[in-house]
Amino acid sequence: MRGLMQDWPLLIPKVIDYAAAEHGGRAVVSRSVEGPMHRTTYREVRERALRVAKRLDRDGIRVGDRVATLAWNTWRHLETWYGIAGIGAVYHTVNPRLFEDQIVYIMNHAEDRVLFLDLTFVPLVEKLAGRLPTVERYIVLTDAAHMPRTTLPNAVPYEDWLAEADADFRWADVDENAAAGLCYTSGTTGEPKGVLYSHRSNVLHATMTVMPDCFGLSARDTVMPVVPLFHANSWSLAFAAPMAGAGLVMPGPKLDGASVYDILTSERVTFTAAVPTIWFALLQHMEKEGGALPDLTRVAIGGSACPPAVIEAFEKKYDVPVLHAWGMTEMSPVGSICGIKPEVQTEDYEKLLGVKATQGYTPFGVEWKITDDDGVALPHDGRTFGRLKVRGAAVARRYFKREDEEILDEEGYFDTGDVATIDADGYMRITDRSKDVIKSGGEWISSIELENLAVGHPDVAEAAVIGIAHPKWDERPLLIVVPKAGREPGRDELLEFLRPRIAKWWMPDDVVLVPDIPHTATGKILKTALRERFKDYRLPTAV
Ligand code: ADP
C-alpha cells in the first residue's frame, strides 16, 4: 500500500523559491570581482535566476545539458546556479586552480555548451578556448562598462545578456533524481572523475547540513562560504543558507587573511567555512595586526585535517567554537562533523580538544563502516583503523560517463580512500589517505597526526610528513616544515617538541625547512609532488 501524501519533488529551485517567499528581503552581500561591495536580496536573486533560466532556454540550452562556471563566490555565480538548475540543465563548477590541461580535459569530458566566467579568468580561458570545441558561448560575469576586449568566441557581458530576458518563466518540471550539478574530483592521481549530483541529493544534503549539530543555520545567521562554489558545492552553503533563511556573504576573489578578516567583521558574519590554509592565514593576520571576531559564533573547518592548535587559537583567543568537518566531492561533500554529544561533554578543555580534533560523527543521511582490506568490518574501539566506507542520501553511486564501473561494495558502500578509526562514542579520526600512510616495519604511522603536532610549534607555519624509503624499516617519516616569516626553528628543537607527544617509533628521522609546500586545487598538501621532490632524499638513519 502506498502512502497518500503529495508528491513534492526535492528540486533545487524550490530552495530559492522558499528563500524569496519567507526571507525575501534577507541580504546577499558580495565583494564583486570589479572591486566594490554589492548588495542584493534573495527576492532579487530568484528573479534574476529566473531570467538566467529564460535566457539560457532562448540560447537553446536543454534539460541535461552541461553549463560550466569558472567563477568566485559572488551573487552572480549564485544566480547562474539556480538559473541553470532551474531549466533542468547541469551546473558544472570548474576549479580555476586545476592545471590548464585538466580544465580542458574536464570541460571536454563534460561537453559544456556555455561557460560563465569571471573577469579574472578571461586571459586563462582565451588561452584554452581553441581546445574547447563544445563551448558555444562565453558569458563574462560583468557589465558592459567592465567588459574587456576579448578573443573569446561569442562573448557577451552577463548583464547585457541577462537584460534580454524578463523573469516571466516557470522552472522546468524535472524528476527530483535528474542531474543538477557536476563537480570533478581534483584527480591528484589519474584523470579527474565527475560526480553528478541530483536535485534530490543536493536538497537532502543541504537539509542535513542545516541541522543544529551540523552547521546549525538559522534565519538569524549571516553565512559566509569562503570555501568556493567550485570546491564541492561550497559544502552546500549556497543551498543551505537560503534554505535556512540565513543571510549570505560572498567573499569574491579576495581570500587572503586581511581581506577575510575585513569582510568577516564588517559584514558581521556569524558562520563561516573553509579549508585550514584559509584559517592559518587569518590567524597569522590577527596575530600580527590584532583584532577580534565578536559576531562569529562558529567556524567550520574541513577539507583537510584541522590541527588542534588552530582549534585552540579560535576557541581560546577569539572565543569562536570550531566545527571540524570531513567529507569529499563524492559525498556532496559533508560526511561528518564534530558536534559535541552529551557523553563527551567535559569541563576539561584538553580532553574536549581531543574530541574536537577528530572528524566527528555522521549527520542523518550518512552511514559508515571501517573495514580491513578484505572488506571485513572492524570494531569501533578508537584504536583499530581501517578503510572508511560510506553510503547515504548524497553519496555517489557511479562516476559520470563511467557508468559501467562499479564503485560500491556489495552492501552499497563507497570506499573513501581514507584510513580511519571510529571510537565507541561514534567519533571518527582520519589517520591518513590510504596512499599517504607511512608503513614502517609493518606498522602504520599517521602523517596527519605528525603534521598536526608540528604546526603546534610556535615557529611553524605549515608542515607535511611523507614516507621516505628506508633499507631496514621500509619507510620512515620525513618532516617538511615551512617556518613562519623570520623564524628558523632547528631540527633538534622541532624533534624535541614532538618527542613527549608521540610514540618513540613515530619520531621523524629527519627535518627539512622549505620556503613553501605545494597544494592541490582544493588547498590540500600535494603529497605526490612532495614525494617526487624528495624521491632521492637519503635519511641520516639509512646507513
Ligand atoms: P579533492 O580530492 O578533489 O581535493 P575532496 O574535497 O573530495 O577533494 O577531498 C576529499 C578528501 O579530503 C577526503 O577523502 C580526505 O582525505 C580529505 N579530508 C577532507 N576533510 C578532512 C578532514 N577534516 N580531515 C582529514 N582529511 C580530510
Side-chain angles (χ1 to χ4, degrees):
M1 186 158 54
R2 290 178 62 85
L4 291 172
M5 305 310 281
Q6 296 182 5
D7 186 11
W8 194 82
L10 302 178
L11 297 176
I12 286 172
K14 288 202 185 293
V15 175
I16 200 70
D17 283 352
Y18 169 77
E22 278 306 336
H23 308 277
R26 194 83 62 244
V28 176
V29 180
S30 311
R31 193 196 296 279
S32 68
V33 176
E34 295 86 349
M37 296 300 287
H38 174 274
R39 288 171 194 277
T40 180
T41 61
Y42 282 134
R43 196 176 296 116
E44 283 176 14
V45 167
R46 174 176 179 272
E47 212 214 77
R48 284 167 50 100
L50 280 161
R51 288 165 54 197
V52 170
K54 187 166 180 172
R55 192 63 192 77
L56 281 173
D57 185 61
R58 197 182 305 160
D59 273 349
I61 302 302
R62 296 288 167 255
V63 171
D65 284 349
R66 272 77 64 201
V67 175
T69 63
L70 189 65
W72 302 111
N73 291 6
T74 68
W75 80 104
R76 288 186 179 123
H77 196 176
L78 189 70
E79 292 162 3
T80 64
W81 269 31
Y82 281 101
I84 295 165
I87 55 167
V90 177
Y91 67 84
H92 169 207
T93 45
V94 181
N95 183 338
R97 298 181 187 129
L98 292 172
F99 297 119
E100 291 178 9
D101 283 349
Q102 285 179 323
I103 294 179
V104 170
Y105 172 86
I106 65 173
M107 290 190 63
N108 283 322
H109 188 266
E111 298 175 77
D112 296 319
R113 291 188 58 193
V114 173
L115 174 66
F116 289 98
L117 71 158
D118 267 336
L119 281 168
T120 324
F121 306 118
V122 170
L124 167 71
V125 178
E126 281 178 341
K127 266 198 283 174
L128 307 181
R131 296 161 67 196
L132 302 173
T134 64
V135 180
E136 297 156 32
R137 156 149 263 188
Y138 293 87
I139 303 171
V140 183
L141 292 162
T142 192
D143 54 19
H146 292 88
M147 183 71 178
R149 234 181 247 285
T150 172
T151 57
L152 289 174
N154 230 346
V156 58
Y158 176 72
E159 295 296 341
D160 282 8
W161 174 83
L162 195 62
E164 292 169 11
D166 60 30
D168 182 18
F169 189 77
R170 278 174 68 108
W171 301 123
D173 184 17
V174 292
D175 186 275
E176 64 175 13
N177 285 303
L182 177 63
C183 180
Y184 284 77
T185 61
S186 60
T188 43
T189 51
E191 295 297 0
K193 297 189 281 282
V195 179
L196 192 60
Y197 309 107
S198 66
H199 285 263
R200 176 188 156 84
S201 71
N202 272 340
V203 171
L204 283 174
H205 177 261
T207 312
M208 246 152 82
T209 62
V210 168
M211 287 198 212
D213 282 319
C214 204
F215 296 153
L217 304 184
S218 82
R220 277 127 1 248
D221 273 313
T222 300
V223 172
M224 179 163 80
V226 180
V227 54
L229 291 170
F230 56 75
H231 184 190
N233 295 305
S234 66
W235 305 353
S236 88
L237 293 171
F239 305 125
M243 186 181 271
L248 253 186
V249 176
M250 301 295 238
K254 290 196 173 162
L255 304 179
D256 59 286
S259 304
V260 168
Y261 178 75
D262 177 53
I263 194 167
L264 271 176
T265 47
S266 61
E267 295 304 328
R268 309 191 62 178
V269 170
T270 63
F271 173 87
T272 184
V275 294
T277 43
I278 294 286
W279 306 123
F280 293 160
L282 176 78
L283 292 173
Q284 276 194 45
H285 168 79
M286 292 179 74
E287 218 175 275
K288 260 200 358 236
E289 307 291 328
L293 300 167
D295 299 296
L296 197 62
T297 57
R298 64 249 187 256
V299 52
I301 307 183
S304 46
C306 180
V310 170
I311 300 179
E312 200 172 350
F314 268 111
E315 301 200 333
K316 285 214 167 139
K317 276 197 200 153
Y318 304 112
D319 205 21
V320 179
V322 168
L323 290 165
H324 189 195
W326 164 85
M328 63 196 315
T329 307
E330 286 90 336
M331 301 186 75
S332 301
V334 176
S336 67
I337 189 147
C338 197
I340 299 300
K341 299 183 188 178
E343 45 274 46
V344 299
Q345 183 69 59
T346 162
E347 295 297 310
D348 178 344
Y349 186 72
E350 281 306 307
K351 233 172 151 181
L352 195 61
L353 187 59
V355 177
K356 290 194 159 198
T358 73
Q359 280 74 6
Y361 62 93
T362 58
F364 175 74
V366 179
E367 298 171 287
W368 63 21
K369 64 179 176 183
I370 45 173
T371 78
D372 64 15
D373 287 345
D374 299 324
V376 178
L378 296 170
H380 293 188
D381 58 12
R383 286 193 314 275
T384 314
F385 46 84
R387 293 166 168 277
L388 180 61
K389 299 181 181 172
V390 293
R391 64 181 185 193
V395 181
R397 175 164 61 84
R398 287 285 194 278
Y399 289 111
F400 181 48
K401 291 192 186 167
R402 293 165 77 134
E403 272 106 292
D404 47 4
E405 199 178 302
E406 181 60 81
I407 59 169
L408 308 182
D409 72 9
E410 55 291 342
E411 291 181 318
Y413 285 82
F414 169 79
D415 190 333
T416 63
D418 287 323
V419 176
T421 61
I422 301 176
D423 71 17
D425 293 313
Y427 287 78
M428 182 272 286
R429 182 189 293 276
I430 303 262
T431 314
D432 255 314
R433 292 294 288 167
S434 53
K435 49 188 185 294
D436 295 338
V437 287
I438 298 162
K439 298 180 188 88
S440 173
E443 302 272 4
W444 286 7
I445 296 174
S446 161
S447 65
I448 290 185
E449 201 160 328
L450 291 174
E451 288 157 7
N452 275 347
L453 287 170
V455 293
H457 187 285
D459 293 346
V460 173
E462 198 175 9
V465 175
I466 56 170
I468 297 283
H470 190 281
K472 177 161 178 212
W473 301 109
D474 202 10
E475 275 184 338
R476 290 294 301 158
L478 170 69
L479 172 61
I480 300 164
V481 162
V482 181
K484 283 190 185 160
R487 310 280 177 82
E488 208 176 321
R491 170 185 187 275
D492 293 342
E493 181 192 340
L494 288 167
L495 292 178
E496 283 318 307
F497 179 78
L498 296 180
R499 195 176 305 281
R501 297 172 167 85
I502 52 173
K504 207 166 150 209
W505 62 279
W506 278 39
M507 279 295 281
D509 283 27
D510 207 2
V511 181
V512 286
L513 300 190
V514 294
D516 59 79
I517 281 175
H519 291 107
T520 70
T522 48
K524 289 166 228 251
I525 294 173
L526 191 53
K527 294 270 172 96
T528 44
L530 280 179
R531 281 194 284 264
E532 180 59 29
R533 200 194 282 180
F534 288 95
K535 71 177 190 304
D536 297 325
Y537 194 83
R538 273 185 69 79
L539 292 166
T541 51
V543 281

